[in-house]
Amino acid sequence: MRPLPQGIAQALAAAALFGISTPLAKMLLGSMPPVLLAGVLYAGSGMGLLTWMALGRVRNRVPVEAALTRRDVPWLAGAVLFGGVLGPLLMMLGLARTAAATAALLLNLEGVLTALLAWVIFRENVDRRVALGMLAIVAGAMVLSWQHPGGMGATWGGLAITGACLCWALDNNLTRAVAGSDPVQIAAIKGAIAGTLNMGIALAIGDRLPHLLPLLAAAVLGFIGYGLSLVLFVLALRHLGTARTSAYFSTAPFLGAALALVMFAEHGSLALLLAGGLMAIGVWLHASERHDHAHTHVTFSHNHRHHHDVHHQHTHDFKWDGHEPHTHPHAHESLSHSHPHYPDTHHRHRH
């Protein structure tokens, strides 16, 4: 069997880790309030990744990723605000009022909103197949909105989760601008800042820390479902661009919904099955896209981890030991050719 391309594998792995975290987070809501849980999840992510970075430095490992720079600060700050503070708050508030399986499927809206923002605001190419996939996912979300087993509370819960999806869509597009930098550093900073702010808000409004065991469980869940997932997501952004990475990431809610049905003995209604089917069609349309045309790369310079492939035929102004991948500032000369590609780091051209 032909192996999956690296970016697709990373996006699907990120989806798997985040997908299973949704029903597990709902289970933890019984031991701590929503705002506090959002803070602990991100704090666990930040602490775990900062420890990972510290251990790497202790071992004197040569860095193979480009560090963040001052130019990255505005983009990262926006990503932290929308993706690390507002998004988790809305998500936890929505989970408290919504069935876990329904909440997991509603998260598919993140991929749709991400693609729309990438297309309309950030001018990333979105072709007919990707657009049809978005329509199928929206149709599935509309089917879910017709059933309100919890009355108005469930309606507000769905709106809160939709708001979280919009925040994460903004986060995804802002993160793309810094995706060439160290993904562990990006995710660690986001987790540490977002976790501190959310926990501070929770304690300020009167929430109290739970017992040690649920606190540790939430921190570990945050490290895996938020931290490691984000690292893989950033890596996938480099290869696939924002809209396509989010399309593959849209498989996360199906894993979350399936796990929720088992964990909480929730019944799979006809509406839930229909919505899942429509969303599956949308994800398949995204995943089966093929984009191939003649294009020209303009001259530009940047710094990121790379191999000496067809897009990196450059010389070095330092002594190179031949090890790949490696990281250093390098310049790209103008190049015209044709091959299948995604809107990755080197293919952000107009059509």
Side-chain angles (χ1 to χ4, degrees):
M1 179 182 290
R2 184 179 177 181
L4 284 175
Q6 185 178 17
I8 295 177
Q10 290 165 339
L12 291 174
L17 293 179
F18 183 72
I20 63 176
S21 72
T22 300
L24 293 175
K26 184 172 179 65
M27 183 173 65
L28 288 169
L29 279 172
S31 58
M32 66 187 84
V35 178
L36 179 60
L37 177 57
V40 175
L41 288 170
Y42 265 95
S45 167
M47 290 173 59
L49 292 173
L50 288 172
T51 302
W52 183 355
M53 292 174 61
L55 291 175
R57 291 183 179 181
V58 168
R59 294 196 301 266
N60 294 319
R61 186 177 63 185
V62 177
V64 294
E65 296 285 354
L68 290 163
T69 65
R70 286 186 178 182
R71 291 184 302 174
D72 299 324
V73 171
W75 300 100
L76 186 60
V80 170
L81 173 62
F82 289 106
V85 180
L86 299 178
L89 281 173
L90 289 169
M91 180 63 191
M92 293 303 109
L93 292 172
L95 272 179
R97 295 171 174 262
T98 309
T102 300
L105 283 178
L106 277 173
L107 287 176
N108 268 300
L109 288 175
E110 179 187 342
V112 176
L113 294 171
T114 296
L116 284 173
L117 291 175
W119 178 36
V120 175
I121 298 178
F122 296 93
R123 301 300 182 184
E124 183 175 303
N125 176 61
V126 176
D127 61 19
R128 183 184 305 172
R129 195 177 192 89
V130 174
L132 289 173
M134 289 193 299
L135 288 175
I137 293 173
V138 168
M142 290 178 65
V143 170
L144 285 179
S145 69
W146 292 339
Q147 53 174 4
H148 304 297
M152 186 56 68
T155 303
W156 285 114
L159 288 175
I161 293 172
T162 301
C165 290
L166 178 58
C167 288
W168 281 325
L170 287 165
D171 171 22
N172 294 336
N173 280 281
L174 294 171
T175 300
R176 182 196 182 190
V178 299
S181 300
D182 187 345
V184 177
Q185 186 182 22
I186 292 170
I189 291 174
K190 178 184 288 187
I193 296 176
T196 301
L197 289 176
N198 283 325
M199 289 186 68
I201 292 171
L203 295 176
I205 62 176
D207 291 347
R208 294 290 180 265
L209 293 176
H211 295 297
L212 182 61
L213 186 58
L215 190 66
L216 290 176
V220 171
L221 179 61
F223 172 63
I224 296 172
Y226 284 60
L228 295 183
S229 177
L230 179 56
V231 169
L232 290 165
F233 187 89
V234 173
L235 290 172
L237 281 174
R238 298 178 181 178
H239 299 282
L240 305 176
T242 313
R244 276 79 175 174
T245 299
S246 295
Y248 287 105
F249 195 75
S250 292
T251 59
F254 299 111
L255 296 172
L259 185 58
L261 291 174
V262 175
M263 289 177 55
F264 301 103
E266 296 178 357
H267 298 290
S269 65
L270 179 60
L272 192 66
L273 294 175
L274 178 58
L278 287 168
M279 291 176 175
I281 291 172
V283 172
W284 174 77
L285 286 168
H286 285 169
S288 57
E289 177 209 12
R290 181 180 176 85
H291 188 70
D292 187 351
H293 65 92
H295 56 276
T296 298
H297 298 269
V298 299
T299 302
F300 72 104
S301 300
H302 62 172
N303 183 14
H304 67 99
R305 178 180 180 177
H306 61 277
H307 292 82
H308 282 192
D309 55 20
V310 66
H311 296 100
H312 293 90
Q313 297 299 314
H314 52 251
T315 59
H316 299 82
D317 57 3
F318 58 91
K319 187 176 181 180
W320 178 44
D321 60 6
H323 179 74
E324 291 185 341
H326 63 173
T327 301
H328 64 90
H330 55 278
H332 291 268
E333 301 296 333
S334 179
L335 172 67
S336 296
H337 59 178
S338 177
H339 64 94
H341 62 277
Y342 293 102
D344 58 22
T345 303
H346 300 94
H347 295 91
R348 297 178 182 177
H349 48 257
R350 295 293 181 91
H351 293 74

